[in-house]
Amino acid sequence: INTPPANRYPVQTELSAFNEDIIRDAILYEISRGGQVFFVHNRVQNILDIENMLKRFVPDVRIAVAHGQMDGRELERRMLDFIEGDYDILLATTIIESGLDIPNVNTIIVNNAHHFGLSDLHQLRGRVGRSNKKAFCYLLTPPLSGLTKEARQRLKAIEEFADLGSGFNIAMRDLDIRGAGNLLGAEQSGFISEIGFEMYHRILDEAIQELKENEFKGVFEAQEEISFVKDCQIETDLELLIPDDYITNIRERLALYKELDSIETEELLLGFQDKLIDRFGPLPRQVGGLMNAIRLRWLAKETGFEKIVLRNRKLTGYFIKDQESPYYQSPEFTSILKFIQSNPDRCRMKEAKERLTLTFVNVNTVFDGLEVLKQLDSFVA
């Protein structure tokens, strides 16, 4: 992983204020050795002004403009023409950030580099230096004294870590700049604002539970028995949803889905159902199926299924993936094996891709699946 490809060289990265002479010299040098240039300007509103500016700096150079608001066919044609060598400069937004591999492009100029994050700059720089030629990356910014402290730190980091395979060092420096936050406090960093506070706590609870079961198992032995399955995923082609003609407001529907997902008892589920009927009227068939899917998930977790697939008149339960789990030595699993032996026509167990599954036939609806798991659960009990 740490060994760079053969005949590759680090991209020489230079941080500079916007300067006509630097831009002209960089472009002319690259063209003089038969190469091409990326010029990144991430504002579609005035990208044509930048094109006119470049034509003024280097009058005889052929320039192609590309950005995400262009017609797809026109954008594709320009990119192909650039790859074929019909243009010397590709003036583009960050649509070139990933996925491009054009060995003939070995100079990239990024305008207003202080507006980019460290990962963006690292990805953009990675678009050049993809052959055995020395490559150059020019980061153009206003005077550093006018930038924020974080922006200066980002630019200095991308300039400092220019060696091949320095992505990990850049990631660690980015962590230093933005801060890692506190695990249990109010100061957080990363995706908490996007995944939501409840989801963050669910992930945190799962991590703590895993530590209790493994590294600190001896400390928590006296506590109540830990559930073998934390959550069960259901996959089906049946309609299990809140129809938009029943609740038209999408935010309201999402809030109700979220509330429904957090319900863990039959009493609360019935209360949720009564609230829906009181506010929006009689439950549609799809909502009834959704309620039964919640009950099905509860039973599946108790049975030891991490995943349920309900398709083609079959219900397939996927047992715990970890084959070393104590679940497989538990009385519950032993009872399930006895149930299978007693009902060979209704269900069958098999192992595929190191995953143990149990399939029931003639299961047409979620309600049918619920009845099947109830029978299995009563047998185990």
Side-chain angles (χ1 to χ4, degrees), residues 163-182:
D163 293 336
L164 295 171
S166 59
F168 180 76
N169 293 327
I170 291 175
M172 294 304 295
R173 180 62 60 88
D174 188 37
L175 188 66
D176 289 339
I177 293 171
R178 293 190 300 154
N182 298 319

Side-chain angles (χ1 to χ4, degrees), residues 2 40 73 172 177 181 223 236 254 268 293 301 307 341:
N2 292 323
V40 178
R73 293 182 179 178
M172 294 304 295
I177 293 171
Q223 289 201 351
T236 180
L254 289 174
L268 292 175
K301 286 170 60 178
K307 180 179 175 182
Q341 293 172 354

Side-chain angles (χ1 to χ4, degrees), residues 14 80 96 131 195 325 334 349:
E14 296 185 12
L80 291 175
I96 67 166
S131 67
I195 67 173
S325 171
T334 302
M349 178 181 285

Side-chain angles (χ1 to χ4, degrees), residues 184-201:
L184 300 174
E187 179 189 347
Q188 297 295 334
S189 178
F191 299 105
I192 187 170
S193 60
E194 296 182 18
I195 67 173
F197 188 72
E198 291 83 0
M199 178 60 75
Y200 169 76
H201 268 277

